[in-house]
Amino acid sequence: MSQYMPWAITTQLWFVLAFAWIFRRNYEGKAIPEGLRFGLYMGLFMASMQFSFYPYIPIPFSLAGAWVIGSVAEGLGLGVILTLTYKS
């Protein structure tokens, strides 16, 4: 697994950069509710991508559900963090 760590870090970096860029393009300065809304939308988008692996990988449904919940939580958290750190 350690041989794939550079790929994992690179993809996460690209994800965060894209997430922040999309947020910045649509930022309206409406504080935390805006970040939560954006984070929820992006979290649901990420969750749909995560859940799409379920039919192809032999994993329990509970694990796929945990991925969905984790993706939504990640989106919400990132939306709030971006709202708190971004200043137009």
Side-chain angles (χ1 to χ4, degrees), residues 1-2 9 18 21 27 30-31 55-56 61 85 87:
M1 291 299 289
S2 63
I9 292 170
W21 182 78
Y27 182 68
K30 295 182 180 174
Y56 304 108
F61 185 78
T85 58
K87 295 186 178 18

Side-chain angles (χ1 to χ4, degrees), residues 4-5 10-11 19 21 23 25 37 39-40 60 62 69 76 79 81 85-87:
Y4 296 110
M5 187 57 87
T10 301
T11 58
F19 195 93
W21 182 78
F23 177 81
R25 299 278 298 157
R37 186 189 70 227
L40 177 64
S62 60
I69 292 167
L76 289 170
I81 289 169
T85 58
Y86 182 70
K87 295 186 178 18

Side-chain angles (χ1 to χ4, degrees), residues 42-52 64 67-69 71-72:
M42 293 299 286
L44 291 172
F45 176 72
M46 294 183 306
S48 68
M49 292 175 20
Q50 290 289 341
F51 194 74
S52 70
W67 285 353
V68 167
I69 292 167
S71 293
V72 172

